[in-house]
Amino acid sequence: MDQAQPDEPFLPDPGTAPEPHGADPADEQAGDEGAEPDSGTVAEGGEHPLALRLEQLILGAPRRYTPFQAARTAGVSMDLASRFWRAMGFADIGQAKALTEADVLALRRLAGLVEAGLLSESMAIQVARSTGQTTARLADWQTDSFLEGLTEPPEPGMTRAEVAYPLVELLLPELEEFLIYVWRRQVAAATSRVVQSDDEEAVDRRLAVGFADLVGFTRLTRRLEEEELGELVEAFETTAADQVAAYGGRLIKTLGDEVLFVADDPGTAAEIGMRLIETMTGDETMPALRVGMAFGTVTTRMGDVFGTTVNLASRLTSIAPRDAVLVDGDFAEALGEAGEAPISEAEVDADSAEKYRFALQPMWRRPVRGLGVVEPWLLSRRD
């Protein structure tokens, strides 16, 4: 596709943009509801005809607009429309007639939120970017899982591409409803956390941050076949996600051999960290795990977390022993104040030992790159 110049992002010059007229070839191809999917020929312009039919099935409308026409129909400036489009993660498309009524409606809705004063322009861009990034990964995963898994092997005499169309037709409405349900549930949970916190904590909050990292993953990548490695990573991410959710934490992201999670308090995070170690060590197919956690102020942006506390948790993970959990001093102190663990084992007598869930053992102070000298604490369960 043509690439637009930097000063005219993905939209053509309004003086040269054609008005919609007649039937577009892509419209005719995509709108031929009675035609059987043609998996063997490529349409003019290099696009597979079945890909066009799948696109129309998923989007619910044929291609109709060039980018400029879509922006003008939505009543949005070319510049703002281009920024929305790129923020959602879509490539520049020059003057191609590739947009639908849904694209016009999306532009109109975002611009309407800005015009009504509900969102600033920069916030609307953030909404577009965060939604695009999250759903792009979800779409890739679902396509890999459903289309590759459920169309293998294909029906006798049919290609995988031909099986894909009826499969998408059946799955699409169900997945759409499920996605909306999960999204509403997540928004409800997130809103509840915000309204229960102080105004000052809406963005910069005190959270327990944890990383869990597979030991020796780089060596495993050289030894295992790609399929085996993929299965191991999927099993690790699934196990970690289940444990984090079950005990009250929130999974922020997965990085193949590492997961990042947060919890509102150190007691919850400590339980998650220990459960991860216990679960993984009980699985002979999984490598060793190490966990590092820190407690402090965290900045949240677009579903991610940033700041010194996050960096410290990452560094602690890198120096943690195999199948062990390291925490920082603030985390240990907060556990002590909450009555979850004694700061000093010397002060624990036989009568009071049972009231503590965890034990803390101070480790040697050591310099940590970029953070100075820290004193890690080894976290364990009390017997």
Side-chain angles (χ1 to χ4, degrees):
M1 293 183 180
D2 297 336
Q3 294 296 319
Q5 298 302 314
D7 58 341
E8 295 180 2
F10 87 107
L11 297 168
D13 187 329
T16 61
E19 291 291 334
H21 63 279
D24 184 83
D27 292 353
E28 293 179 356
Q29 174 66 47
D32 185 4
E33 297 297 335
E36 290 299 319
D38 182 355
S39 62
T41 60
V42 176
E44 185 178 353
E47 295 193 69
H48 198 293
L50 178 58
L52 293 175
R53 294 196 71 224
L54 278 168
E55 177 188 286
Q56 180 177 339
L57 172 66
I58 295 168
L59 298 180
R63 298 179 178 185
R64 179 177 177 184
Y65 301 102
T66 65
F68 170 71
Q69 292 164 354
R72 186 171 59 184
T73 303
V76 178
S77 71
M78 293 190 302
D79 177 67
L80 185 59
S82 175
R83 283 188 287 154
F84 282 154
W85 184 259
R86 285 180 171 176
M88 287 185 284
F90 301 123
D92 295 349
I93 59 174
Q95 299 187 37
K97 183 179 286 188
L99 305 184
T100 72
E101 293 289 351
D103 297 300
V104 171
L105 181 59
L107 290 174
R108 188 177 293 148
R109 280 176 169 164
L110 278 174
L113 292 173
V114 175
E115 291 172 3
L118 296 174
L119 294 178
S120 66
E121 190 172 299
S122 62
M123 181 60 70
I125 296 293
Q126 288 186 20
V127 169
R129 180 171 291 112
S130 62
T131 305
Q133 291 176 354
T134 302
T135 53
R137 185 179 181 192
L138 177 63
D140 285 342
W141 182 88
Q142 289 179 333
T143 300
D144 290 344
S145 298
F146 292 122
L147 292 187
E148 291 190 11
L150 297 181
T151 58
E152 179 65 38
E155 296 290 333
M158 296 182 69
T159 66
R160 181 189 292 267
E162 290 171 326
V163 178
Y165 190 94
L167 179 62
V168 171
E169 196 170 25
L170 290 171
L171 284 174
L172 188 64
E174 301 301 326
L175 291 177
E176 181 179 17
E177 290 296 326
F178 185 70
L179 176 62
I180 294 172
Y181 155 74
V182 175
W183 174 75
R184 285 183 177 273
R185 269 289 180 186
Q186 292 288 4
V187 170
T191 304
S192 177
R193 289 193 297 269
V194 170
V195 298
Q196 293 182 62
S197 64
D198 296 334
D199 290 342
E200 296 179 357
E201 295 183 347
V203 176
D204 296 318
R205 307 171 55 194
R206 284 179 64 80
L207 294 173
V209 180
F211 283 89
D213 177 60
L214 292 176
V215 178
F217 185 76
T218 302
R219 291 193 300 274
L220 283 174
T221 61
R222 295 193 291 265
R223 181 165 55 87
L224 296 179
E225 297 291 336
E226 290 186 3
E227 184 174 348
E228 294 177 306
L229 192 63
E231 291 175 353
L232 185 146
V233 168
E234 184 176 355
F236 168 59
E237 292 182 350
T238 299
T239 299
D242 287 349
Q243 296 299 322
V244 170
Y247 294 96
R250 299 185 296 285
L251 187 68
I252 300 299
K253 57 186 173 184
T254 59
L255 305 169
D257 62 330
E258 188 175 58
V259 297
L260 167 60
F261 64 92
V262 299
D264 292 330
D265 62 271
T268 299
E271 184 65 32
I272 291 170
M274 295 308 305
R275 291 281 181 175
L276 287 172
I277 294 293
E278 292 160 1
T279 302
M280 297 290 285
T281 54
D283 187 343
E284 296 180 355
T285 65
M286 300 298 293
L289 186 71
R290 53 191 176 191
V291 177
M293 298 188 290
F295 181 62
T297 301
V298 173
T299 298
T300 60
R301 287 287 188 280
M302 292 174 59
D304 207 344
V305 290
F306 308 91
T308 302
T309 303
V310 180
N311 296 337
L312 179 54
S314 178
R315 300 290 188 271
L316 289 171
T317 306
S318 66
I319 63 175
R322 297 165 61 94
D323 295 327
V325 180
L326 282 187
V327 302
D328 76 320
D330 287 344
F331 193 107
E333 183 179 351
L335 278 182
E337 291 176 352
E340 299 279 7
I343 295 297
S344 173
E345 289 292 329
E347 299 176 1
V348 179
D349 55 38
D351 293 334
S352 64
E354 293 183 359
K355 74 176 185 178
Y356 297 112
R357 281 200 293 166
F358 306 106
L360 291 164
Q361 176 186 343
M363 309 291 284
W364 291 104
R365 288 175 174 265
R366 65 190 72 189
V368 174
R369 179 167 52 88
L371 297 171
V373 177
V374 299
E375 181 182 9
W377 293 72
L378 182 67
L379 178 74
S380 60
R381 287 198 188 278
R382 298 196 68 82
D383 296 330

